[in-house]
């Protein structure tokens, strides 16, 4: 929350005394008592007769403030996200990113591939046994040979009993004569001329030293042929794919010791507001800083390296010095984006010569968010001071910017039916916390801009178009980053 009635979301609360973590006021859904536990939190958004925008602030004034649609230059929500993604991309010149670095496998987790991952070898690189059992040649029954089929450890080719057979990690065995069988372990090289592997539990030997199969044997059964998974040079993953533990295993199997990656974007976080306490209980008009503890871990979950989190208060000169001196890829501020007496973000951006890309977004909560370019490759995002409004800004602007800076493939949007009707803003998009249930998305009651109670138990935010949604309508889903890690489409992973 910002100080001195900033109207950080374009609105102010009713008569309550809000906190940065909880909000105050009597309007909307914030004045409902007796709510305990997640089952009580699940409720239809906007049931209050006051409507969906009542009680949307945490300041000390009254009223609902101007509608976003009346603000000159506010960018449509979907356009703002697209512009944010474009602003973080390098210029398309057809060459690999100059930020690309090769790093050892044990340092690559969570980074994005700077280039497509191509196999350096066939997988598997030789015919291997898929099961413990017997390698056989031709039709049965088969005479059992020792491991001495010319493999290392027994070169005489004798028939001195089954022995341990062919083991993984040993040299190539000699050809297996027709009508013969030899024990083989999973992962071992299949000897030349072998036609199948019979699982141990499907075979028996008789007193005369012959092997019999208790099931029909088919050509090539339980043999993984060379190149079954991929051939050398085959593309396994595209550039921009996030490196998960499974990707590390695939890369190692495909022959890699290092991977070409894009480094994590470096972010400086500046928390503004004279009214914010770093510890203890709120008192004397001071409130706890809820965004300082929230922003940095959220950004790390989006794949960023947070180089610093600093509290500056409402000091225009200190803000100007911090923004001017930052060498981070992205500077993020909280609060100060509106037009109040201590809202200095726009003034500082003008003084530093930044190019304003987005000045307000037609979204509730969070419409006074800002995106600017400080210099080539260096961006600035100003988040509103109210906590849920700031979260809206993280999902609207910061997530697409960081995905682009990190070279990641954006996640494919998806839609899920909503269980209940959701009130909409007349002209702006609404982002509403929800939980997944079998019957669809269930909106959460505590969704005011100053509230964190809803988002703390949410699975994500649902995108509600102007005018609202009816039961059964498909809504776009914005997963929270810790619920979207390592998705097939390259979601963020830490």
């Amino acid at each position: 929350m910002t100080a001195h009635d900033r109207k950080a979301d374009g609105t102010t609360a009713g008569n309550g005394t809000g906190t940065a973590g909880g909000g105050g006021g009597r309007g909307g859904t914030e004045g409902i008592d007796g709510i305990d536990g997640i089952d009580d939190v699940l409720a239809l958004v906007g049931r209050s007769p006051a409507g969906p925008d009542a009680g949307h602030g945490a300041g000390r004034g009254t009223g609902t403030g101007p509608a976003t649609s009346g603000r000159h230059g506010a960018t449509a929500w979907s356009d703002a996200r697209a512009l944010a993604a474009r602003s973080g991309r390098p210029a398309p010149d057809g060459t690999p990113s100059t930020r690309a670095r090769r790093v050892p496998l044990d340092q690559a987790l969570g980074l994005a591939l700077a280039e497509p991952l191509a196999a350096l070898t066939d997988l598997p690189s030789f015919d291997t046994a898929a099961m413990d059992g017997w390698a056989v040649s031709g039709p049965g029954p088969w005479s059992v040979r020792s491991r001495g089929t010319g493999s290392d450890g027994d070169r005489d080719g004798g028939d001195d009993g089954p022995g341990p057979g062919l083991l993984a990690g040993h040299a190539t065995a000699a050809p297996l004569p027709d009508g013969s069988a030899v024990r083989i372990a999973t992962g071992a090289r299949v000897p030349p001329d072998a036609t199948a592997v019979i699982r141990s539990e499907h075979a028996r030997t008789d007193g005369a030293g012959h092997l019999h199969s208790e099931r029909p044997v088919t050509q090539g059964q339980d043999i993984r042929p060379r190149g079954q998974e991929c051939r050398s040079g085959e593309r396994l993953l595209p550039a921009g794919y996030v490196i998960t533990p499974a990707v590390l295993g695939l890369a190692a199997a495909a022959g890699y010791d290092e991977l070409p990656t894009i480094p994590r974007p470096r972010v400086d976080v500046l928390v503004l507001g004279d009214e914010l306490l770093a510890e203890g209980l709120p008192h004397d008009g001071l409130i706890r800083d809820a965004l300082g503890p929230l922003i940095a871990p959220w950004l790390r979950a989006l794949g960023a390296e947070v180089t610093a989190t600093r509290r500056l208060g409402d000091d225009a000169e200190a803000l100007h010095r911090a923004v001017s001196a930052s060498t981070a890829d992205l500077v993020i501020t909280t609060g100060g984006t509106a037009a109040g007496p201590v809202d200095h973000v726009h003034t500082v951006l003008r003084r530093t010569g930044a190019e304003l890309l987005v000045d307000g977004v037609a979204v509730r909560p969070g419409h006074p968010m800002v995106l600017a370019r400080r210099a080539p490759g260096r961006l600035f995002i100003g988040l509103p001071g109210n906590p849920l409004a700031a979260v809206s800004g993280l999902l609207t602007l910061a997530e697409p910017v960081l995905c682009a800076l990190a070279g990641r493939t954006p996640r494919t949007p998806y839609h899920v039916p909503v269980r209940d009707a959701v009130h909409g803003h007349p002209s702006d998009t609404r982002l509403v916390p929800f939980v997944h249930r079998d019957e669809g998305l269930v909106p959460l009651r505590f969704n005011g801009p100053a509230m964190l109670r809803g988002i703390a138990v949410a699975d994500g935010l649902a995108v509600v178009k102007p005018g609202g949604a009816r039961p059964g309508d498909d809504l776009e889903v914005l997963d929270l980053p810790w619920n979207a890690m390592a998705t097939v489409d390259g979601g963020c992973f830490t």
Side-chain angles (χ1 to χ4, degrees):
M1 185 180 85
T2 55
H4 307 296
D5 251 339
R6 297 179 195 202
K7 299 182 182 179
D9 193 42
T11 58
T12 55
N15 298 327
T17 56
T19 70
R26 298 179 181 172
T29 57
E30 297 186 72
I32 298 175
D33 298 323
I35 305 299
D36 296 305
I38 182 61
D39 290 336
D40 286 334
V41 172
L42 302 183
L44 181 63
V45 171
R47 279 178 173 166
S48 167
D53 295 308
H56 260 202
R60 294 181 287 276
T62 59
T64 59
T68 306
S69 57
R71 298 180 71 247
H72 177 69
T75 305
W77 179 80
S78 58
D79 292 341
R81 277 178 62 84
L83 198 157
R86 291 196 301 272
S87 69
R89 294 179 195 143
D93 57 5
T95 60
S97 171
T98 56
R99 300 181 63 221
R101 300 287 185 272
R102 299 190 71 85
V103 300
L105 294 184
D106 62 1
Q107 299 176 23
L109 183 66
L111 302 178
L113 291 170
E115 304 167 10
L117 186 72
L120 301 180
T121 181
D122 295 343
L123 283 181
S125 54
F126 46 83
D127 293 349
T128 63
M131 293 287 174
D132 293 332
W134 299 85
V136 299
S137 177
W142 302 269
S143 61
V144 174
R145 300 176 62 85
S146 73
R147 62 177 178 173
T149 55
S151 63
D152 61 343
D154 190 345
R155 301 287 182 181
D156 62 7
D159 296 322
D160 52 355
L166 304 175
L167 303 177
H170 289 252
T172 305
L176 187 63
D178 188 58
S180 299
V182 64
R183 279 197 178 278
I184 193 166
T186 301
R189 285 175 177 261
V190 174
D193 299 329
T195 54
V197 169
I198 303 173
R199 302 183 187 190
S200 296
E201 60 269 28
H202 298 161
R204 62 179 178 83
T205 56
D206 60 24
H210 289 90
L211 179 77
H212 302 264
S213 177
E214 298 180 342
R215 298 189 179 186
V217 178
T218 59
Q219 179 82 19
Q221 74 176 33
D222 286 325
I223 293 176
R224 291 188 64 206
R226 177 174 183 166
Q228 180 186 51
E229 188 168 359
C230 66
R231 289 292 185 182
S232 180
E234 184 177 342
R235 194 175 94 157
L236 304 176
L237 294 170
Y241 202 92
V242 175
I243 298 168
T244 66
V247 170
L248 292 175
L250 175 62
Y256 285 87
D257 299 318
E258 297 179 326
L259 288 175
T261 65
I262 302 294
R264 298 180 186 275
R266 296 177 303 113
V267 183
D268 285 345
V269 178
L270 306 176
V271 179
L272 313 181
D274 289 339
E275 77 277 29
L276 301 178
L277 292 170
E279 59 184 14
L281 293 174
H283 62 86
D284 301 327
L286 302 177
I287 61 174
R288 280 297 299 271
D289 169 27
L291 291 180
L294 178 153
I295 296 292
W298 198 298
L299 296 174
R300 292 188 186 103
L302 291 174
E305 175 190 346
V306 179
T307 50
T309 297
R310 299 169 54 193
R311 292 180 174 87
L312 297 183
D314 294 314
D315 187 329
E317 289 303 319
L319 178 60
H320 179 262
R321 288 193 299 270
V323 172
S324 299
S326 175
T327 60
D329 302 302
L330 175 64
V331 173
I332 290 182
T333 60
T334 67
T337 57
V342 291
D343 292 332
H344 303 304
V345 165
H346 286 85
T347 300
V348 167
L349 290 176
R350 285 193 295 270
R351 286 182 62 188
T352 59
E355 177 189 0
L356 202 58
L357 303 176
V358 172
D359 187 11
V361 178
V363 66
R364 300 295 179 105
H367 63 78
M369 61 183 75
V370 173
L371 172 65
R373 182 178 288 109
R374 300 183 293 133
R378 293 186 180 173
L379 298 171
F380 175 97
I381 292 175
L383 301 176
N386 275 320
L388 189 57
V391 167
S392 173
L394 287 172
L395 292 171
T396 300
L397 297 179
E399 181 176 328
V401 161
L402 289 172
C403 252
L405 287 173
R408 298 179 174 185
T409 302
R411 290 184 292 115
T412 302
Y414 71 98
H415 296 72
V416 176
V418 65
R419 188 189 73 178
D420 306 311
V422 185
H423 288 293
H425 188 273
S427 57
D428 293 353
T429 298
R430 290 191 69 206
L431 302 183
V432 178
F434 73 87
V435 291
H436 283 289
R437 291 294 182 265
D438 290 342
E439 60 270 32
L441 305 179
V442 180
L444 297 175
R445 174 177 299 174
F446 296 96
N447 55 71
M451 293 183 168
L452 288 174
R453 187 172 171 180
I455 196 67
V457 297
D459 294 321
L461 280 85
V463 181
V464 181
K465 294 181 179 180
R470 295 173 297 180
D473 284 353
D474 284 342
L475 301 184
E476 183 177 347
V477 169
L478 301 177
D479 285 317
L480 301 183
W482 40 92
N483 294 332
M485 293 175 184
T487 61
V488 172
D489 297 305
C492 299
F493 188 91
T494 57

